[in-house]
Amino acid sequence: KNIEKQIKIIQKLHARLTHIRKEYVRDVVTRVVKAKPSFITIEDLNIKGLLKNKHLADCVRKQNFYYFRICLEQKCKQTGIELRIVSRFYPSSKLCSCCGHKKVCLSLSERIFICDQCGIEIERDFNASLNLKYAMDYTIIT
Ligand SMILES: [Zn+2]
């Protein structure tokens, strides 16, 4: 009986966490859209591939990427913001957003992007986001 009780409590906690994570996604999407960008570019991540990586799977699942995309699509449709999607093969993390030089190898642990060509030091995700902003090869989804 006690074990059953504990299981119920844990299930409730998980449900609550799921709810909090979804709420967070909705909040982020709302904030992005409220900034009234002329367009938003997202990357078509290989989620299934990421889920196969046991070091990433749990984090990827908890980030609700798919839910994020659905929310973003809905909001962009409602507000008339152009939503662009870039191929998963576009090397957004490996390109230098300053000079366009492409790094041959970039490990996931390198959080600061340092360009071998122009020497710029820039936060990895910020660099990738600039590359997505400048991407010319994309599909418009909304
Ligand atoms: Zn560079």
Side-chain angles (χ1 to χ4, degrees):
K1 273 267 193 251
N2 271 336
I3 291 172
E4 273 171 31
K5 238 190 229 169
Q6 291 303 318
I7 289 173
K8 280 242 166 81
I9 290 172
I10 290 169
Q11 281 172 339
K12 268 191 186 164
L13 275 174
H14 277 294
R16 179 146 172 70
L17 281 174
T18 305
H19 178 79
I20 290 169
R21 289 192 189 103
K22 284 196 167 177
E23 192 61 44
Y24 172 73
V25 167
R26 279 196 292 270
D27 184 56
V28 169
V29 168
T30 303
R31 273 190 283 159
V32 168
V33 169
K34 267 194 182 155
K36 295 192 174 135
S38 52
F39 65 87
I40 296 171
T41 309
I42 56 171
E43 222 168 346
D44 182 20
L45 291 175
N46 178 9
I47 304 292
K48 275 186 189 155
L50 290 174
L51 286 174
K52 277 181 197 151
N53 180 333
K54 64 175 183 201
H55 301 292
L56 295 175
D58 214 33
C59 294
V60 170
R61 210 172 297 120
K62 285 175 184 165
Q63 290 293 327
N64 278 320
F65 285 140
Y66 187 66
Y67 184 67
F68 186 92
R69 181 169 162 176
I70 291 173
C71 284
L72 196 60
E73 278 186 40
Q74 278 175 351
K75 281 272 180 189
C76 284
K77 217 177 257 175
Q78 283 167 11
T79 51
I81 294 171
E82 183 175 294
L83 182 61
R84 302 171 175 179
I85 190 156
V86 162
S87 156
R88 68 181 60 157
F89 300 110
Y90 177 68
S92 60
S93 298
K94 287 182 178 174
L95 288 176
C96 171
S97 58
C98 185
C99 72
H101 175 71
K102 186 180 168 185
K103 271 205 170 189
V104 185
C105 59
L106 180 76
S107 87
L108 208 52
S109 61
E110 288 174 55
R111 301 316 300 171
I112 303 288
F113 181 96
I114 301 167
C115 180
D116 307 325
Q117 196 159 286
C118 73
I120 193 177
E121 290 186 25
I122 182 171
E123 202 276 325
R124 179 198 180 98
D125 293 332
F126 185 55
N127 180 58
S129 72
L130 289 175
N131 285 324
L132 287 171
K133 178 182 174 184
Y134 303 136
M136 297 305 287
D137 198 8
Y138 54 80
T139 310
I140 295 171
I141 33 180
T142 64

